[in-house]
Amino acid sequence: MDKKNKNFEAKLLNMPYEKPDTYGALSMPVYNSVAFEFKTAKEMEEAFCGLSNDYYYSRIDNPTVRYFENRVKNITDSMSATAVNSGMAAIANVIISIASTGCNIITSPHLFGNTYTFLSSILANFGIEIRFCDLTDLEQVQSLTDDNTCAVFLEIITNPQLEIADLQALSTICHKSGIPLIADTTIIPFCSFDARTFGVDIEIVSSTKYISGGATTVGGLIIDYGIFNWKKSLPLQKWYYNFGKEAFTKRLRREIHRNLGAYMSPQTAYMQSLGLETLQLRYERQAATCLELASLLKKSDKIISVNYTGLKDNRFHEISNKQFGAAPGAMMTIDLASRQACFDFIDKLKIIRRATNLFDNKTLAIHPSSTIFGTFSEEQRKKMDLRQETIRLSIGLESTEDLLADIEQALK
Ligand SMILES: *Cc1c(COP(=O)(O)O)cnc(C)c1O
């Protein structure tokens, strides 16, 4: 994994522009222009009909956004990268591109709150069935697939349960039946995790998190590795006939995303392109601190349990190590004695901030059951394995010593 991206920074930092900049700008300028002008009606026709790559309207394509997309495409060695204005927009665009009435999607109930609502409430109204199951139980997954399954969708480390499914095994099941494996990889950035080698066909990232470079902007990415054969996909059949392996990307770009209207804005693309430049540096530090802190917190007698898959006795440690390396991300959870103990702890924190979001430069603490999942019923929370005793920590750039001291004083 780490090998693939040894030259991550060099590849990223030296990527040329499509056209030389008039002033020799070292940073890609922000093209805050809605429309782009043409010399002739003919060139205009070609751009609008997809016969040239020229820009014409920034809901569809923009030079600053395309530069960000090309950087992502380049460092992930993918066929295409599409930038949208949030992680949720990325999920919606992907699902709408591949699903149609009568199809089903296999997934786990262990999902990001908004994703859960999008799948289970919104899509259900359009006749798309969501089959919730335990994705770590391969027999269950296999038994749920049928001719109408249009995707297996998962988060590579679920939040906040920290459950990890075997991607290679899932992709084998999927590909045997002509089903794409779609993964939300937000939790481990692509500088340290090569989704393609584990059989992921479409990668979805909330770039709001690591990539934005310290919680500067909300954004999302859709990465297509161009390896999946879309022959069996009903809504993509026409596209497959015309574009083969590019079927998904072509439908996404030419039909879905421009009409849904959630393309990334040039300002956001600028900020996130800058964030990309320090991604590896920040990630390595944050993940290493998280592993170190998790090991230290395990020794505290005031903490009932520490959940981090980098810990050797974690039930997902083996698969975590295989897929994500020794320090699998910068999020952990701790369980305290009660909901009240969690609230007291959070109130006493001095360095760690009381906020949602993940992978800010600042360390953040939240009580998921009363916030992100606060409006869910207790029964729904049970189904999602959410406990009232759990606190989620997203580890930032502070030192392990400072974080440990803050946690220790808050536990007193
Ligand atoms: C934050 C998050 C999302 C949603 O991303 P937004 O950019 O907030 O829309 C989706 N999946 C995961 C795993 C996330 O952490």
Side-chain angles (χ1 to χ4, degrees), residues 230-247:
W230 297 95
K231 197 161 146 190
K232 278 189 60 192
S233 165
L234 214 55
L236 289 176
Q237 235 148 45
K238 175 185 99 187
W239 301 87
Y240 176 76
Y241 179 75
N242 287 324
F243 301 106
K245 299 257 186 230
E246 285 184 271

Side-chain angles (χ1 to χ4, degrees), residues 371-387:
T371 55
I372 303 167
F373 303 98
T375 58
F376 286 43
S377 68
E378 191 54 33
E379 189 197 338
Q380 256 173 330
R381 280 195 290 261
K382 276 232 164 62
K383 254 195 255 168
M384 298 174 85
D385 284 329
L386 299 163
R387 287 182 303 276

Side-chain angles (χ1 to χ4, degrees), residues 197-342:
T197 62
F198 291 98
V200 172
D201 300 298
I202 303 293
E203 182 171 2
I204 297 172
V205 184
S206 164
S207 54
T208 311
K209 312 295 164 57
Y210 286 115
I211 294 171
S212 75
T216 61
T217 39
V218 177
L221 283 164
I222 301 163
I223 299 166
D224 179 357
Y225 286 101
I227 39 177
F228 188 71
N229 186 324
W230 297 95
K231 197 161 146 190
K232 278 189 60 192
S233 165
L234 214 55
L236 289 176
Q237 235 148 45
K238 175 185 99 187
W239 301 87
Y240 176 76
Y241 179 75
N242 287 324
F243 301 106
K245 299 257 186 230
E246 285 184 271
F248 170 81
T249 290
K250 290 292 186 199
R251 182 172 194 224
L252 174 72
R253 294 303 296 235
R254 293 192 177 182
E255 187 170 66
I256 306 300
H257 113 271
R258 67 178 55 198
N259 292 317
L260 287 182
Y263 197 47
M264 185 174 272
S265 70
Q267 276 292 347
T268 297
Y270 174 80
M271 297 300 289
Q272 301 213 347
S273 203
L274 207 57
L276 212 49
E277 296 184 359
T278 56
L279 173 65
Q280 180 138 303
L281 193 67
R282 288 179 289 109
Y283 174 71
E284 279 173 5
R285 156 109 180 189
Q286 288 173 265
T289 304
C290 193
L291 174 61
E292 196 182 7
L293 192 64
S295 317
L296 292 167
L297 292 180
K298 264 191 86 76
K299 295 181 193 141
S300 165
D301 53 10
K302 295 208 176 62
I303 297 176
I304 311 288
S305 63
V306 178
N307 192 4
Y308 182 64
T309 64
L311 295 174
K312 294 222 160 50
D313 61 354
N314 186 283
R315 70 187 173 117
F316 294 111
H317 181 70
E318 198 180 321
I319 189 71
S320 174
N321 199 49
K322 181 180 158 207
Q323 293 178 168
F324 315 119
M331 177 183 83
M332 70 165 104
T333 65
I334 54 174
D335 273 32
L336 301 183
S338 63
R339 172 187 160 104
Q340 192 55 49
C342 291

Side-chain angles (χ1 to χ4, degrees), residues 57-330:
Y57 193 67
S58 286
R59 173 169 26 80
I60 292 156
D61 209 349
N62 172 282
T64 311
V65 186
R66 195 189 289 174
Y67 183 69
F68 174 55
E69 291 173 328
N70 282 340
R71 275 186 143 184
V72 172
K73 180 174 122 142
N74 196 19
I75 53 177
T76 55
D77 259 329
S78 56
M79 187 185 74
S80 77
T82 300
V84 288
N85 249 335
S86 70
M88 287 317 300
I91 293 170
N93 270 276
V94 167
I95 300 296
I96 292 171
S97 295
I98 56 116
S100 54
T101 303
C103 84
N104 64 74
I105 296 170
I106 297 172
T107 189
S108 158
H110 298 160
L111 289 172
F112 179 71
N114 300 107
T115 308
Y116 183 85
T117 306
F118 173 65
L119 296 178
S120 63
S121 303
I122 300 177
L123 287 185
N125 284 332
F126 294 91
I128 294 160
E129 185 196 349
I130 307 301
R131 296 184 173 172
F132 289 111
C133 72
D134 177 358
L135 292 176
T136 67
D137 179 346
L138 298 170
E139 275 170 31
Q140 210 186 110
V141 177
Q142 178 74 66
S143 72
L144 285 176
T145 63
D146 61 27
D147 285 345
N148 294 322
T149 304
C150 64
V152 171
F153 175 88
L154 85 164
E155 292 171 15
I156 56 170
I157 303 184
T158 72
N159 161 14
Q161 305 86 359
L162 291 112
E163 173 188 276
I164 301 179
D166 183 334
L167 294 168
Q168 205 99 62
L170 280 179
S171 84
T172 304
I173 293 176
C174 285
H175 295 162
K176 240 181 11 207
S177 309
I179 300 165
L181 180 63
I182 300 176
D184 177 336
T185 66
T186 302
I187 214 100
I188 309 279
F190 40 64
C191 55
S192 289
F193 167 61
D194 184 1
R196 183 217 327 251
T197 62
F198 291 98
V200 172
D201 300 298
I202 303 293
E203 182 171 2
I204 297 172
V205 184
S206 164
S207 54
T208 311
K209 312 295 164 57
Y210 286 115
I211 294 171
S212 75
T216 61
T217 39
V218 177
L221 283 164
I222 301 163
I223 299 166
D224 179 357
Y225 286 101
I227 39 177
F228 188 71
N229 186 324
W230 297 95
K231 197 161 146 190
K232 278 189 60 192
S233 165
L234 214 55
L236 289 176
Q237 235 148 45
K238 175 185 99 187
W239 301 87
Y240 176 76
Y241 179 75
N242 287 324
F243 301 106
K245 299 257 186 230
E246 285 184 271
F248 170 81
T249 290
K250 290 292 186 199
R251 182 172 194 224
L252 174 72
R253 294 303 296 235
R254 293 192 177 182
E255 187 170 66
I256 306 300
H257 113 271
R258 67 178 55 198
N259 292 317
L260 287 182
Y263 197 47
M264 185 174 272
S265 70
Q267 276 292 347
T268 297
Y270 174 80
M271 297 300 289
Q272 301 213 347
S273 203
L274 207 57
L276 212 49
E277 296 184 359
T278 56
L279 173 65
Q280 180 138 303
L281 193 67
R282 288 179 289 109
Y283 174 71
E284 279 173 5
R285 156 109 180 189
Q286 288 173 265
T289 304
C290 193
L291 174 61
E292 196 182 7
L293 192 64
S295 317
L296 292 167
L297 292 180
K298 264 191 86 76
K299 295 181 193 141
S300 165
D301 53 10
K302 295 208 176 62
I303 297 176
I304 311 288
S305 63
V306 178
N307 192 4
Y308 182 64
T309 64
L311 295 174
K312 294 222 160 50
D313 61 354
N314 186 283
R315 70 187 173 117
F316 294 111
H317 181 70
E318 198 180 321
I319 189 71
S320 174
N321 199 49
K322 181 180 158 207
Q323 293 178 168
F324 315 119

